[in-house]
Amino acid sequence: MKIAVIGATGMAGRAIFEEATTRGHEVTAIVRNVEKARAELGAGATLLVSDIFDLKRATLEQFDVVVNAFANHKEAYLNLDAVTHLIHEFRQSETRVIFLLGAASLIQANGTRLFDFLVELPGNEAWIDEPRYGVLELDILRATPDVNWTGVSPQQNFTPGPASEHRIALNDLLLSADGKSHVTAGNMAVGVLDEIETPQHIRERFTVSDM
């Protein structure tokens, strides 16, 4: 399968690139920095050098699946802009698009979103925009019937680490054996590749958790 990973040098993107490569797929890393990509992904990695906002349908439709792992933690509005840009390019396309989303829209045990808790925390002004835009991204995708999309959210704490035992859910904030909500990049990558190879969540979001 031909898979492209936008943002393949980030934590999530690199894990997905490596998992897809290990499984024998034909993987292309879409990156801006060639030197960084070669250093992190290897000299033999297939690269497509482009800013996400310069990507067009004619280029992206050569792939069976495009994974959007783009993330800007300083200018969070760009994450929303990236989603809407890709929606525009993929309308009525058969190419599948996997969007890595945030955890803020996950539902806690009390029935409220994680975002509803985060927005009440004191001193959140420096970081609340990222989860706020993340909630909007999912809302927009859910209102988009003519794009072949799937959303994937990590749990509250998304950390580097290898694949291990994991589980998935649709919209729930999950607690691992230690009573905390977390997932490693390795487990996220396995969840994404399992979904690519055996589609189960067309036009819906799911989440991956450590056990």
Side-chain angles (χ1 to χ4, degrees), residues 11-16 18-20 23 100 152-155 157-169 174 176-177 181-196 206-211:
M11 179 182 72
R14 179 176 177 178
I16 292 167
E18 292 175 348
E19 181 69 19
R23 295 191 187 200
L100 267 62
V152 188
S153 286
Q155 288 296 302
N157 294 305
F158 187 25
T159 61
S164 60
E165 290 187 87
H166 69 280
R167 57 180 172 148
I168 67 171
L174 301 174
S176 298
S181 172
H182 53 78
V183 67
T184 64
N187 279 337
M188 273 288 286
V190 170
V192 168
L193 265 296
D194 286 351
E195 175 64 26
I196 288 173
F206 72 100
T207 182
V208 185
S209 171
D210 297 335
M211 290 293 287

Side-chain angles (χ1 to χ4, degrees), residues 75-142:
E75 298 174 293
Y77 67 89
L78 290 174
N79 300 325
L80 178 61
D81 289 352
V83 170
T84 55
H85 171 70
L86 292 175
I87 286 173
H88 174 74
E89 295 301 323
F90 279 107
R91 286 198 185 275
Q92 300 180 351
S93 171
E94 294 183 4
T95 298
R96 192 171 183 205
V97 193
I98 309 291
F99 291 93
L100 267 62
L101 305 171
S105 56
L106 294 174
I107 305 301
Q108 303 177 101
N110 63 7
T112 65
R113 299 172 303 178
L114 177 60
F115 180 74
D116 299 322
F117 164 73
L118 298 176
V119 77
E120 297 297 330
L121 292 177
N124 64 18
E125 295 83 3
W127 52 263
I128 196 62
D129 278 350
E130 187 168 3
R132 178 181 288 116
Y133 284 120
V135 170
L136 287 173
E137 290 163 27
L138 179 58
D139 288 343
I140 291 169
L141 287 169
R142 284 174 168 167

Side-chain angles (χ1 to χ4, degrees), residues 26-48:
E26 185 179 340
V27 192
T28 297
I30 300 180
V31 298
R32 290 183 299 175
N33 188 320
V34 174
E35 290 75 18
K36 181 180 180 181
R38 293 291 183 210
E40 295 192 5
L41 305 177
T46 300
L47 306 182
L48 193 165

